[in-house]
Amino acid sequence: MKTIHNFNAGPCILPESAIESAVEAIRNFDNTGIGILEISHRTPGWERIMAETEQLWRELLGIPEEYAVLFLGGGASTQFFNVPANLMKKKAAYLQTGVWAKKAVKEAKFYGEVEIVASSEDKNYVYVPKGYKVPTDADYFHITTNNTIYGTEIKYDMDCPIPLVADMSSDIMSRPVDVTKYALIYGGAQKNVGPAGVTFVIIRRDMLGNSGRELQTMVDYRTHIGKEVKDNSMFNTPPVFSIFVMHETLKWIKSIGGLKEMNRINNEKATTLYNEIERNSMFVGTAVPEDRSIMNVCFVMSEQYRGKEADFMALAKERGMVGIKGHRSVGGFRASLYNACSLESVEALVECMQEFERIKK
Ligand SMILES: *Cc1c(COP(=O)(O)O)cnc(C)c1O
């Protein structure tokens, strides 16, 4: 079998060690002789995994005690309405940097007034707006740190005069984050920390219960915060298998040296690919350089070679590249370089681009 280079945008590549543990756990979880898909989530072995998973989150991201860490179902898309339901009294502010942000705006409008502080929709989201003013009368300011579809990213933790809420679905654990700058961080796990099916929510406890709104039990974040650590996210059946794979993925991140080292590797991968896009006259990047994402690299054929897109796709496929077709709203190509994607895979893609330049130019 030829080597596959997985650049899928999500769900996406996971560390090999996590996959191996998952396969073993399906057969025999924690030496019980029973598979993980067949155990009760109230068994001590499982409670230990839940507690350890939370501990790994706290350790890797440096999450202080005043924040709760939850693992829920429903995807990041469910948090688009859970966030305003729990946090909005009257008005919220949103930075519209892509389709995911726009979807979050749509759901927030069910709960009150939404002020779109700035939007980059005018240029199909190829940049992140700057120089905007966050209204101080809003209950929170919502940002999307990495715009998965367009390949732009807010790579720093901003100072914000009101509680800052971030959808970090596609760049969580790619770099160290100063959690104390945020009131709430959420995201689907399936891009950097695990498989589909589990959503993480990190929330400062003092944010809870202030909306003046009665909430359905499952929507209220307080429901999912237990009296003890082992009761967190255990109000109903948690997505057991997804959390297990997340646990193994976080162990892998820890084993390679944590988020500083992860970020160094991610920067090296992204730089390798962006350098080639800049050097190779057949390709051109779509995102403005200062806002380029280290997770999703978007590029198209340059003007004079536009007609050769299908040829490049064919060669890339031949060379084992998977998942490099750009999102339909951007076109061209997108290589997602999430944590588990190796530098070797990025180098293979670069070689493929160089080969194409030799044979097609
Ligand atoms: C993928 C993605 C989502 C949607 O996540 P689901 O878990 O599928 O609901 C939301 N925001 C961003 C930034 C994403 O990349």
Side-chain angles (χ1 to χ4, degrees):
M1 227 169 73
K2 76 177 166 199
T3 308
I4 296 292
H5 300 288
N6 183 349
F7 296 102
N8 277 324
C12 56
I13 187 164
L14 289 170
E16 230 174 277
S17 60
I19 299 296
E20 275 160 23
S21 313
V23 169
E24 170 59 20
I26 285 177
R27 293 193 192 287
N28 179 7
F29 171 66
D30 198 31
N31 287 319
T32 55
I34 302 175
I36 191 165
L37 305 178
E38 304 161 289
I39 53 152
S40 161
H41 60 292
R42 305 283 173 194
T43 56
W46 178 252
E47 286 176 345
R48 181 176 56 77
I49 295 287
M50 282 298 273
E52 267 178 32
T53 308
E54 178 174 336
Q55 190 45 41
L56 282 162
W57 272 89
R58 289 191 183 277
E59 202 179 317
L60 287 166
L61 271 177
I63 305 171
E65 212 20 69
E66 63 261 33
Y67 289 74
V69 181
L70 304 176
F71 309 125
L72 308 174
S77 301
T78 294
Q79 299 313 314
F80 292 167
F81 63 83
N82 272 355
V83 166
N86 279 273
L87 305 191
M88 201 201 291
K89 295 182 201 99
K90 263 170 73 186
K91 175 178 164 179
Y94 279 70
L95 185 64
Q96 193 174 301
T97 50
V99 157
W100 292 120
K102 198 173 178 173
K103 287 182 176 175
V105 165
K106 180 178 175 223
E107 300 305 313
K109 283 181 177 166
F110 282 93
Y111 297 92
E113 187 192 336
V114 175
E115 181 175 334
I116 297 171
V117 170
S119 168
S120 46
E121 192 173 15
D122 58 335
K123 296 212 170 108
N124 198 31
Y125 303 116
V126 297
Y127 69 101
V128 175
K130 289 165 202 78
Y132 50 81
K133 213 169 167 292
V134 177
T136 49
D137 63 340
D139 300 314
Y140 63 86
F141 178 46
H142 180 284
I143 60 172
T144 311
T145 49
N146 186 63
N147 299 285
T148 324
I149 294 173
Y150 314 90
T152 64
E153 185 177 13
I154 301 169
K155 291 178 283 242
Y156 61 96
D157 305 307
M158 64 175 71
D159 292 309
C160 186
I162 58 175
L164 183 62
V165 173
D167 173 357
M168 292 199 186
S169 291
S170 54
D171 64 350
I172 190 76
M173 298 280 180
S174 70
R175 64 173 174 93
V177 165
D178 180 356
V179 174
T180 64
K181 293 264 171 93
Y182 301 84
L184 193 154
I185 296 170
Y186 69 90
Q190 69 273 19
K191 285 152 190 153
N192 239 352
V193 285
V198 56
T199 311
F200 55 88
V201 178
I202 302 162
I203 180 161
R204 214 174 60 217
R205 300 177 202 266
D206 68 356
M207 295 298 296
L208 296 166
N210 307 328
S211 75
R213 180 180 292 113
E214 268 202 79
L215 296 171
Q216 297 91 334
T217 309
M218 284 296 286
V219 172
D220 193 334
Y221 289 130
R222 289 173 297 181
T223 300
H224 305 283
I225 302 176
K227 285 201 181 67
E228 294 177 56
V229 171
K230 72 176 179 52
D231 301 321
N232 288 341
S233 309
M234 291 280 270
F235 172 75
N236 71 324
T237 320
V240 169
F241 187 61
S242 300
I243 293 173
F244 180 80
V245 182
M246 181 163 78
H247 174 264
E248 297 305 303
T249 304
L250 298 177
K251 267 172 42 187
W252 172 78
I253 296 174
K254 186 177 168 178
S255 76
I256 67 154
L259 298 189
K260 247 182 147 165
E261 177 62 9
M262 201 71 259
N263 189 236
R264 188 194 64 75
I265 299 169
N266 285 330
N267 275 317
E268 188 176 2
K269 290 184 298 189
T271 304
T272 302
L273 185 49
Y274 282 122
N275 282 350
E276 176 60 17
I277 292 168
E278 262 161 31
R279 189 209 58 80
N280 193 320
S281 61
M282 301 193 80
F283 300 96
V284 54
T286 53
V288 303
E290 71 264 27
D291 297 327
R292 285 191 309 212
S293 167
I294 60 165
M295 294 278 94
N296 312 96
V297 177
C298 296
F299 55 107
V300 293
M301 304 294 323
S302 50
E303 204 70 51
Q304 74 225 81
Y305 301 109
R306 236 0 90 91
K308 296 192 189 293
E309 201 175 297
D311 294 347
F312 179 66
M313 273 312 245
L315 178 73
K317 193 173 171 204
E318 178 68 32
R319 296 288 177 265
M321 311 297 147
V322 171
I324 62 160
K325 192 169 167 46
H327 189 274
R328 63 190 177 281
S329 59
V330 178
F333 314 100
R334 169 178 56 176
S336 296
L337 316 181
Y338 298 124
N339 286 349
C341 171
S342 68
L343 179 62
E344 290 70 40
S345 282
V346 178
E347 284 167 346
L349 176 58
V350 165
E351 267 167 45
C352 184
M353 292 162 76
Q354 292 173 348
E355 181 183 357
F356 192 67
E357 183 185 36
R358 282 195 301 276
I359 57 181
K360 286 289 174 184
K361 216 169 156 176

